[in-house]
């Protein structure tokens, strides 16, 4: 790509003659990555403004700076644009030669279920003989190699890099509302776009459910001309999206319980779902429990069927599915207590996880969960009410502080306990590892302990047990056996726990 290829994107501020035929050797929005011959695009982020790094980018060899601010005295050409994030996607598309056009692109959006649907699709397609790359929350996998994931949806440059590196036929991508709102998918086009659901979440970012929905709907503007939308019609926002896309003349396949759906869900029971497609009935089975996973499987099977995976083969292909880290991940303890680690962090998702335990015969349910500090406080009351309504007992703990403090979150817990009048049914242990220890220590044969909110994610705080994830904490406690009682003295005075945890953070 040459400089002349992008000059029409904005207004050039440069007084000296410009060699427009100069080759561009790379593009980036990170000044530390700039090398001689690179273009640096200055992005205004939520925490930092990339414009303050323009001089560093120039020192590192940038031959063109792109941004939204006014610069008139730089020693290299400066292209002013209206939206630097969007321009990053447009430039990346040109530089990497539009890699999404050469792949079968599958994008998945929705509040809950994106990760599970992505893993299901990958399983079904690979069993059918496809090679599949994935980009998502837990990790990215390109050409069979796993790469650590930073965001659910990376920025446009990273997506184009991953697509260019991939030699796989299919790319399955989780698409977040923030990623769409921030133009991270600018220039990317999809063969299939899936909408699973819209539930109360991220309103600290989007403001209203309507704005949240409009961000999700942006994915379907990125369908290729012959692309297909696959919509969960059981969701009321899915119905709204279907009406919009149908009016626009786009190809839409709906999945739901109504007879008018192209894929009709006939019945759901434990791990089995029966569907009707073109007047034929099929029974599909997933090893993951829960009604929500039956809907996830139905959505996944629909797109797989569009790629010639027979419905008759779905159950066989899924029988070898090994599960997903942090997505209703089950541990069976020696004392016949079942522990579940799940990412559920919305009111509906919490209820779904607990109901899944109930439907699988839980004697009692002890739920460990919490709120994210400085994040969407509007969903907190519904979260606590759902957990207390369905659980035998609940322990409030830290999920992640996100800039808040232990003391502030503890005060929030005290207040919401009183507001919901659930003091007798809940306790507060701010050290997450000790909250898990207490729940497991108190559980009896036949009980289920649900550890909700973190899923696969690593802890960001320093806790008493030197474990990094909920899974590690469960495994550590499994190994302790009778020694668990030695930790009992650590659970008592709440203020002492808070001070202990705060001291650990300061150290």
């Amino acid at each position: 790509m040459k400089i002349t290829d992008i000059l029409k994107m904005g207004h050039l501020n440069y007084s000296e003659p410009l060699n427009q035929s100069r080759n561009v050797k790379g593009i980036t929005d990170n000044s530390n990555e700039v090398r001689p011959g690179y273009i640096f695009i200055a992005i205004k982020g939520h925490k930092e403004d990339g414009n303050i790094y323009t001089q560093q980018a120039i020192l590192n060899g940038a031959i063109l700076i792109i941004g939204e601010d006014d610069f008139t005295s730089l020693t290299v050409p400066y292209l002013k644009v209206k939206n630097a994030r969007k321009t990053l996607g447009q430039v990346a598309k040109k530089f990497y030669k539009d890699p999404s056009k050469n792949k079968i692109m599958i994008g998945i959006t929705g509040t809950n279920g994106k990760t599970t649907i992505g893993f299901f699709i990958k399983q079904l397609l690979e069993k059918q003989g496809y090679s599949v790359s994935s980009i998502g929350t837990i990790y990215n996998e390109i050409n069979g190699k796993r790469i650590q994931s930073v965001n659910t949806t990376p920025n446009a440059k990273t997506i184009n890099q991953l697509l260019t590196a991939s030699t796989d036929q299919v790319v399955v991508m989780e698409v977040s509302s923030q990623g769409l709102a921030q133009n991270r998918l600018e220039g990317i086009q999809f063969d299939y776009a899936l909408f699973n659901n819209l539930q109360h979440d991220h309103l600290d970012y989007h403001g209203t459910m309507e704005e949240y929905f409009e961000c999700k709907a942006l994915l379907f503007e990125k369908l290729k001309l012959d692309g297909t939308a696959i919509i969960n019609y059981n969701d009321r926002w899915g119905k709204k999206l279907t009406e919009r896309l149908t009016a626009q003349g786009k190809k839409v396949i709906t999945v739901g319980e109504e007879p008018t759906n192209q894929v009709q869900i006939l019945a759901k029971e434990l791990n089995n779902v029966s569907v009707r497609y073109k007047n034929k009935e099929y029974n599909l089975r997933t090893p993951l429990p829960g009604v929500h996973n039956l809907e996830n499987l139905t959505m996944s099977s629909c797109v797989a069927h569009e790629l010639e995976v027979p419905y008759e083969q779905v159950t066989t292909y899924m029988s070898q599915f090994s599960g997903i880290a942090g997505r209703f991940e089950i541990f069976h303890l020696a004392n016949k207590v079942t522990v579940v680690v799940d990412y559920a962090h919305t009111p509906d998702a919490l209820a779904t996880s607990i109901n899944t335990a109930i439907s699988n015969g839980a004697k009692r349910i002890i739920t460990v969960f919490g709120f994210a500090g400085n994040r969407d406080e509007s969903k907190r009351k519904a979260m606590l009410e759902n957990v207390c309504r369905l659980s035998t007992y609940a322990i409030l703990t830290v999920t992640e502080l996100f800039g808040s403090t232990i003391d502030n979150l503890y005060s929030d817990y005290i207040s919401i306990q009183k507001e919901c009048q659930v003091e007798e049914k809940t306790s507060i242990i701010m050290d997450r590892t000790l909250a898990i220890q207490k729940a497991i220590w108190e559980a009896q044969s036949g009980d289920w302990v649900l550890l909700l909110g973190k899923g696969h994610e690593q802890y960001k705080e320093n806790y008493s047990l030197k474990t990094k994830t909920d899974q590690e904490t469960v495994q550590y406690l499994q190994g302790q056996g009778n020694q668990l009682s030695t930790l009992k003295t650590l659970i008592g005075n709440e203020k002492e726990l808070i001070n202990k945890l705060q001291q650990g953070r300061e150290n």
Side-chain angles (χ1 to χ4, degrees):
M1 184 178 77
K2 300 182 184 299
I3 288 182
T4 188
D5 294 328
I6 62 171
L7 292 181
K8 60 183 178 182
M9 295 182 184
H11 174 70
L12 183 67
N13 293 327
Y14 197 61
S15 57
E16 299 180 19
L18 175 63
N19 181 4
Q20 297 187 17
S21 63
R22 188 170 183 179
N23 286 324
V24 176
K25 296 184 178 179
I27 63 170
T28 185
D29 58 343
N30 183 341
S31 60
N32 292 319
E33 296 177 354
V34 173
R35 300 290 181 268
Y38 272 49
I39 292 176
F40 173 66
I41 302 175
I43 304 291
K44 289 186 177 181
H46 293 290
K47 296 181 179 179
E48 286 190 311
D49 185 350
N51 288 286
I52 66 176
Y53 298 105
T54 55
Q55 291 298 337
Q56 180 184 344
I58 292 170
L59 289 173
N60 287 347
I63 58 174
L64 176 67
I65 307 294
I66 298 176
E68 299 171 12
D69 286 357
D70 289 310
F71 282 109
T72 57
S73 59
L74 297 181
T75 56
V76 299
Y78 177 78
L79 192 69
K80 183 181 178 182
V81 296
K82 291 182 179 180
N83 187 323
R85 289 182 184 275
K86 195 169 186 176
T87 302
L88 174 62
Q90 294 167 345
V91 174
K93 180 178 181 178
K94 284 183 175 291
F95 182 81
Y96 291 101
K97 299 179 182 178
D98 193 9
S100 67
K101 73 178 181 182
N102 299 318
K103 303 288 185 185
I104 299 172
M105 298 290 299
I106 303 172
I108 309 155
T109 200
T111 306
N112 295 315
K114 295 187 295 295
T115 299
T116 301
I117 291 174
F119 273 80
F120 282 179
I121 292 172
K122 192 172 190 294
Q123 173 81 6
L124 292 171
L125 294 182
E126 286 183 336
K127 290 297 180 183
Q128 186 66 14
Y130 287 93
S131 58
V132 184
S133 290
S134 61
I135 299 173
T137 304
I138 298 181
Y139 54 77
N140 302 324
E141 185 171 332
I142 307 296
N143 305 328
K145 181 180 180 181
R146 293 181 182 179
I147 307 165
Q148 183 178 356
S149 175
V150 177
N151 296 315
T152 295
T153 307
N155 70 13
K157 183 210 72 173
T158 302
I159 292 174
N160 276 278
Q161 282 181 319
L162 293 172
L163 296 182
T164 300
S166 172
T167 58
D168 295 323
Q169 299 162 283
V170 182
V171 177
V172 179
M173 185 185 303
E174 295 178 46
V175 180
S176 69
S177 56
Q178 290 97 326
L180 288 161
Q182 295 170 12
N183 298 113
R184 296 184 213 159
L185 289 108
E186 179 66 26
I188 305 299
Q189 292 184 300
F190 294 87
D191 296 270
Y192 300 94
L194 281 67
F195 177 91
N196 197 36
N197 53 55
L198 195 75
Q199 300 173 3
H200 189 159
D201 201 13
H202 303 305
L203 297 194
D204 55 318
Y205 183 90
H206 296 291
T208 67
M209 289 296 290
E210 284 287 346
E211 291 178 15
Y212 186 22
F213 169 76
E214 292 300 334
C215 281
K216 293 288 190 185
L218 291 173
L219 171 62
F220 299 85
E221 297 179 8
K222 301 182 182 301
L223 281 169
K224 296 176 182 178
L225 289 177
D226 58 348
T228 301
I230 298 174
I231 312 294
N232 178 4
Y233 203 73
N234 287 340
D235 185 274
R236 70 183 184 92
W237 296 97
K239 290 182 173 68
K240 181 175 181 177
L241 182 60
T242 298
E243 292 173 1
R244 177 181 297 186
L245 298 178
T246 302
Q248 294 172 356
K250 293 184 178 178
K251 182 182 177 182
V252 179
I253 297 175
T254 59
V255 177
E257 295 174 358
E258 297 180 15
T260 54
N261 295 132
Q262 288 96 322
V263 179
Q264 183 188 4
I265 297 174
L266 300 174
K268 293 177 283 190
E269 183 178 0
L270 292 179
N271 293 55
N272 295 279
V273 57
S274 58
V275 302
R276 177 182 288 121
Y277 177 74
K278 291 186 176 179
N279 296 320
K280 289 189 67 175
E281 293 185 14
Y282 304 93
N283 185 65
L284 314 178
R285 181 176 176 83
T286 169
L288 295 189
V291 172
H292 59 301
N293 282 319
L294 297 179
E295 292 195 352
N296 292 338
L297 178 62
T298 307
M299 292 287 289
S300 307
S301 300
C302 181
V303 69
H305 186 267
E306 288 293 299
L307 292 170
E308 300 183 351
V309 176
Y311 274 114
E312 294 89 343
Q313 290 296 321
V314 169
T315 297
T316 301
Y317 290 169
M318 291 301 299
S319 65
Q320 301 170 44
F321 187 71
S322 58
I324 309 168
R327 293 333 190 252
F328 216 85
E329 189 175 1
I330 297 176
F331 298 82
H332 297 289
L333 306 189
N335 59 351
K336 296 184 179 179
V337 170
T338 301
V339 181
V340 173
V341 175
D342 194 40
Y343 190 56
H345 60 280
T346 67
D348 289 335
L350 291 168
T352 297
S353 288
I354 300 170
N355 278 322
T356 299
I358 293 171
S359 66
N360 279 269
K363 181 178 178 183
R364 298 188 310 157
I365 295 172
I366 303 173
T367 301
V368 179
F369 82 113
F371 307 141
N374 290 337
R375 293 290 175 93
D376 197 356
E377 295 184 9
S378 65
K379 67 179 181 178
R380 290 182 175 181
K381 184 178 179 182
M383 290 172 67
L384 183 58
E385 288 175 340
N386 281 356
V387 169
C388 289
R389 175 172 53 86
L390 297 168
S391 303
T392 309
Y393 188 75
I395 302 175
L396 283 160
T397 190
V398 173
T399 296
E400 190 167 336
L401 292 177
F402 286 115
S404 183
T405 66
I406 293 290
D407 289 328
N408 287 344
L409 195 57
Y410 179 79
S411 297
D412 290 345
Y413 287 163
I414 294 293
S415 297
I416 199 166
Q417 262 187 327
K418 292 179 179 178
E419 181 184 357
C420 296
Q421 299 180 343
V422 294
E423 292 96 328
E424 293 184 359
K425 202 171 183 179
T426 59
S427 62
I428 304 172
I429 301 177
M430 300 305 286
D431 185 314
R432 189 175 180 93
T433 60
L434 296 185
I436 294 171
Q437 187 274 329
K438 176 178 172 66
I440 291 177
W441 182 71
E442 293 188 348
Q444 302 170 9
S445 176
D447 291 350
W448 285 49
V449 175
L450 305 186
L451 313 179
L452 306 182
K454 289 297 289 182
H456 69 286
E457 293 179 342
Q458 292 199 350
Y459 299 149
K460 300 292 178 64
E461 317 307 322
N462 295 320
Y463 295 131
S464 295
L465 304 184
K466 302 307 177 184
T467 50
K468 296 179 181 179
T469 64
D470 284 357
Q471 291 92 331
E472 282 190 19
T473 302
V474 174
Q475 290 164 352
Y476 171 79
L477 294 173
Q478 275 183 298
Q480 292 298 297
N482 293 330
Q483 296 179 37
L484 287 179
S485 60
T486 63
L487 294 172
K488 186 177 179 181
T489 56
L490 293 174
I491 299 177
N493 186 288
E494 186 60 35
K495 274 294 181 183
E496 183 180 340
L497 285 174
I498 294 171
N499 291 335
K500 178 179 175 61
L501 184 54
Q502 192 67 47
Q503 290 170 5
R505 286 168 54 81
E506 291 172 355
N507 291 335

